[in-house]
Amino acid sequence: MSQTLIAFFSMTGESYVSGKLINLEKGNTHVAVDMIGEMMEADQFQIKTVQEYPKGHMPLINYAKEELNHQARPKLTREVINMEQYDTIVLGYPNWWGTCPMPVFTFLESYDFAGKRILPLCTHEGSGLSNSVADIRKICPQANVQNGLAIVGGQVKESQAILKEWLKTNQLL
Ligand SMILES: Cc1cc2nc3c(=O)[nH]c(=O)nc-3n(C[C@H](O)[C@H](O)[C@H](O)COP(=O)(O)O)c2cc1C
């Protein structure tokens, strides 16, 4: 039987949503992933780092830039047990500085994704997927990495139909 894993990284705390700085109890990507979870059967795995990220927006922006510049691979708190059982991975992440947050790359380098299908799902504040899909392909050259879906963070809650259509297009519904 084919099985899907929804793996995602998402922040809580201060975030610019539609140009306003607000406090998110659940990150935009997390909200999108939960909506998918309600539409289809899939296991969920939240990518979390041992070293917590700064909660304030500007400190986070600067911290993430440093990580990008150093191509950091922050250590993750836990692992997916039995990655072999999944043939499709919906990979949710925010656009950070034009690519995925570095912990998403830690995640991608932790398993063998050869022959698996990866569906990137990116939330952003205007840049769309940027380089994220190309970067995922570089790290997982033997995976079947699809073109991905980008949703503006502030529009996630109204994206039910878009998400549904995307899952249908990818034969998950
Ligand atoms: C460190 C950092 C860098 C970001 N860089 C970009 C960017 O380059 N382009 C963009 O459109 N949005 C950028 N954003 C906005 C996020 O992609 C957007 O707010 C996203 O929906 C956050 O998802 P989350 O709430 O699941 O963490 C950035 C946000 C942060 C915190």
Side-chain angles (χ1 to χ4, degrees), residues 133-150:
V133 176
D135 291 344
I136 294 167
R137 287 192 176 122
K138 261 185 233 154
I139 288 185
C140 303
Q142 291 181 305
N144 169 13
V145 183
Q146 302 288 299
N147 289 337
L149 178 68

Side-chain angles (χ1 to χ4, degrees), residues 6-10 45-49 53 74 76-78 80 91-93 102-108:
I6 308 175
F8 71 101
F9 178 85
S10 184
F45 178 81
Q46 182 162 12
I47 300 167
K48 282 194 171 172
T49 54
Y53 281 93
L76 306 185
T77 53
R78 54 199 186 98
V80 175
L91 184 65
Y93 54 88
M102 295 300 116
V104 173
F105 294 142
T106 309
F107 172 80
L108 291 174

Side-chain angles (χ1 to χ4, degrees), residues 29 32-33 36 90-93 119-123 148-151 163 166:
T29 312
V33 157
I36 291 177
V90 173
L91 184 65
Y93 54 88
L119 304 180
L121 170 64
C122 170
T123 72
L149 178 68
I151 301 179
L163 286 168
W166 185 60

Side-chain angles (χ1 to χ4, degrees), residues 10-11 27-29 60-61 64 94-98 123-127 153:
S10 184
M11 286 294 296
N28 297 323
T29 312
L60 175 59
I61 289 280
N95 181 328
W96 274 14
W97 289 107
T123 72
H124 64 97
E125 267 296 288
S127 319

